[in-house]
Amino acid sequence: MISLFIDTSSSDVSIAIVKDNQILSNINKNIPNEHSIYTTSFLDNALNEAKITPNDINKIMVVNGPGSFTGVRIGVTIAKVFAYLKKIDIICISSLKMRAISIKHDNCLVLLDAKHDNYYIGLYDKDNNEIIKEQFNNKTKIIELIKKYNPICISNKNLLIDEIKVQKSNLDIKKIVSYYINSKPLNCHLVVPNYLKLPQALEQQK
Amino acid sequence: MDTYCLAIETSCDETSMSIIKNGIEEIETVVLTQIDIHKKFGGVVPEIASRSHIEYITIVLDELLTKSKINIENIDIIGVTYGPGLIGSLLIGLQCAKTISLITKKTLIPVHHIAGHIYANNLEKRLQFPLIALVVSGGHTELVYMDEDYSFKRIGNTLDDAVGEAYDKVAKILGLEYPGGPKVDKLAKSGKDTYNLPYPLDDDSYNFSFSGIKSAVVNLVHNEKQRGNNIRVEDICTTFQNRVLTVITKKTMRAIKEYKVKNLVLAGGVAANEALRKSLEKLCQQNSIDFSVPRIKYCTDNAAMIGSAAYYAYKKGIIADLELNAVATDSLYDSKFSKKINT
């Protein structure tokens, strides 16, 4: 079983090819605003480095959000088209949960910057079950959650939210892949980004 | 040997894919329009457009391949609109094209959206060179000279609003539903030229300007309302359309004479305007040159025209690699891809 992992939800582009529980290739680069240019060529490089062809991929795991709308769409479009052409399924990965999965923890609060003092928020117990629904919210909510659950706080970069220090934590691709490998696969046509946030035009209408 | 092009166009609010053989023969085209989604906002909302493109991208691809009964492995080149357009929308089609190119190892061709509109005409009958193309849409009003395939020289441009934009804004002032441009054309048929509106940039250049006449309509409607007068919507449409088309036709006529062309080509969304088609057709008859106009369904955005343009770009060696990016604005005349050819 060979899986292709794609994450373009943050300023990093992360592509990995994982066979059973062994990483065949892994490209991870911080290229803010250049995902559109490089993601497909990184994918090409990852395949070459792993010495496999697109035909050898059995499953695609794509991070479908939340995160940068455009960033997420780049990875998800590539995943959908790849899966369609190779007639394979897609497993969607949460950009929040995968960070909790990557580390050992009791309660874990994952925060991703959503601009203007807003955050995408996920809170998980020690077995990575969701304590609250993943959501888009502000720091009042974060402070409330920290008081109530006393979690470790992590993000994709070091953050300081008032007095709260949020640690940058790296992805553990092996752990993420083995956690998700038995999740429900989706047909490519059904895969869409998980934005957690409406477009501005619709919010104004509300 | 035949060349089959898979073409992808997602620059605005249409998700479209097509298979074109040898730049002239349409095998199959699928167009999914979002017009009903954007109607309630009075215009295209970029974020909503991007969200819709990604939802349908593989569904449109599947429909195209199923209907055409063509296996993706039998495609020779992949043509994609890289710009100009809404960046978030362009990116979906671009990533789709790059992924297909990565998997099938087929050559990727970057196509300029306006080149596509011009080549919509090539699907009707082969372009005759030299030619003048009048490109009229919501984003463009240009006179383009071509002495051979995929070689573009702009001789005139709008200095402010595009003609389609002016039509849509006039429609909005008159309370017509989006997209209002075609409704102005329709209502103009039953009205009379009774209002006092200026001729837009009626000078010796090949340039255009429509913001003045647009403001004149705004002021006219405002003043009539202030005076408590009835606004004769049809008459305003007729007057506005007459002024605009008079200047466009006059400048186009001068261009075809000066450049001694064999073919006048009408391109872009406003090419669907009936009065404009008639006026230019007459002009071409009088000057004994060929007139090309796309059928109505190819006036709006579609991938068939991209597939035609891609074939001639490919013939000229204009190709891209996996690092092709989308651009919101790019001039057809100093595009990095055409430069590659010139130097």
Side-chain angles (χ1 to χ4, degrees), chain B residues 293-304:
Chain B
V293 62
R295 69 191 74 171
I296 299 291
K297 71 169 179 169
Y298 291 143
C299 288
T300 49
D301 293 349
N302 65 84

Side-chain angles (χ1 to χ4, degrees), chain A residues 71-126:
Chain A
V72 167
R73 278 195 287 264
I74 288 169
V76 171
T77 304
I78 294 168
K80 280 169 74 98
V81 175
F82 195 114
Y84 171 74
L85 293 179
K86 291 290 132 204
K87 299 188 172 58
I88 54 178
D89 285 330
I90 297 177
I91 290 174
C92 291
I93 293 178
S94 155
S95 61
L96 294 164
K97 193 174 195 174
M98 70 174 178
R99 292 179 201 280
I101 293 163
S102 294
I103 59 163
K104 246 184 129 77
H105 58 84
D106 290 321
N107 287 343
C108 178
L109 180 66
V110 186
L111 303 168
L112 295 173
D113 191 354
K115 292 181 196 163
H116 312 299
D117 281 330
N118 291 312
Y119 297 86
Y120 298 113
I121 302 171
L123 181 64
Y124 311 90
D125 66 15
K126 64 175 174 36

Side-chain angles (χ1 to χ4, degrees), chain B residues 5 7 9 15-20 25-32 60 63-65 67-68 123 297-298 301-307:
Chain B
C5 177
E9 151 70 42
T15 317
S16 179
M17 298 193 199
S18 176
I19 295 174
I20 300 293
E25 191 186 330
E26 180 186 12
I27 307 293
E28 190 66 60
T29 301
V30 178
V31 181
L32 187 104
V60 169
E63 190 179 328
L64 178 76
L65 295 175
K67 273 190 176 170
S68 65
L123 294 165
K297 71 169 179 169
Y298 291 143
D301 293 349
N302 65 84
M305 65 186 199
I306 302 301

Side-chain angles (χ1 to χ4, degrees), chain B residues 216-288:
Chain B
V217 174
V218 174
N219 290 336
L220 173 69
V221 171
H222 180 77
N223 291 340
E224 291 291 271
K225 272 185 185 161
Q226 291 273 308
R227 292 189 194 112
N229 290 343
N230 231 351
I231 294 156
R232 301 184 309 276
V233 173
E234 284 91 344
D235 292 352
I236 292 183
C237 290
T238 309
T239 314
F240 168 77
Q241 174 142 295
N242 280 354
R243 297 295 176 277
V244 168
L245 297 191
T246 300
V247 174
I248 290 180
T249 308
K250 200 164 145 188
K251 292 194 173 184
T252 306
M253 179 170 81
R254 228 174 51 234
I256 61 174
K257 283 187 173 158
E258 186 188 332
Y259 286 85
K260 299 187 176 63
V261 297
K262 289 185 187 152
N263 196 182
L264 172 65
V265 167
L266 181 58
V270 184
N273 184 298
E274 213 184 301
L276 178 62
R277 290 167 96 108
K278 276 187 185 154
S279 162
L280 294 179
E281 193 173 6
K282 200 171 133 199
L283 176 72
C284 288
Q285 274 169 4
Q286 286 164 351
N287 290 279
S288 312

Side-chain angles (χ1 to χ4, degrees), chain B residues 9-17 30-54 56 60 81 84-90 92 113 117 138 168 178-179 269 299-303 305:
Chain B
E9 151 70 42
T10 62
S11 66
C12 190
D13 60 342
E14 265 103 18
T15 317
S16 179
M17 298 193 199
V30 178
V31 181
L32 187 104
T33 176
Q34 309 170 5
I35 202 155
D36 289 335
I37 303 173
H38 298 285
K39 226 177 199 167
K40 52 179 178 268
F41 300 100
V44 177
V45 183
E47 176 59 23
I48 293 175
S50 305
R51 289 185 179 200
S52 180
H53 282 303
I54 194 168
Y56 294 107
V60 169
T81 310
L86 300 173
I87 193 78
S89 293
L90 286 164
I92 306 299
H113 186 71
H117 274 303
D168 282 342
Y178 170 86
C299 288
T300 49
D301 293 349
N302 65 84
M305 65 186 199

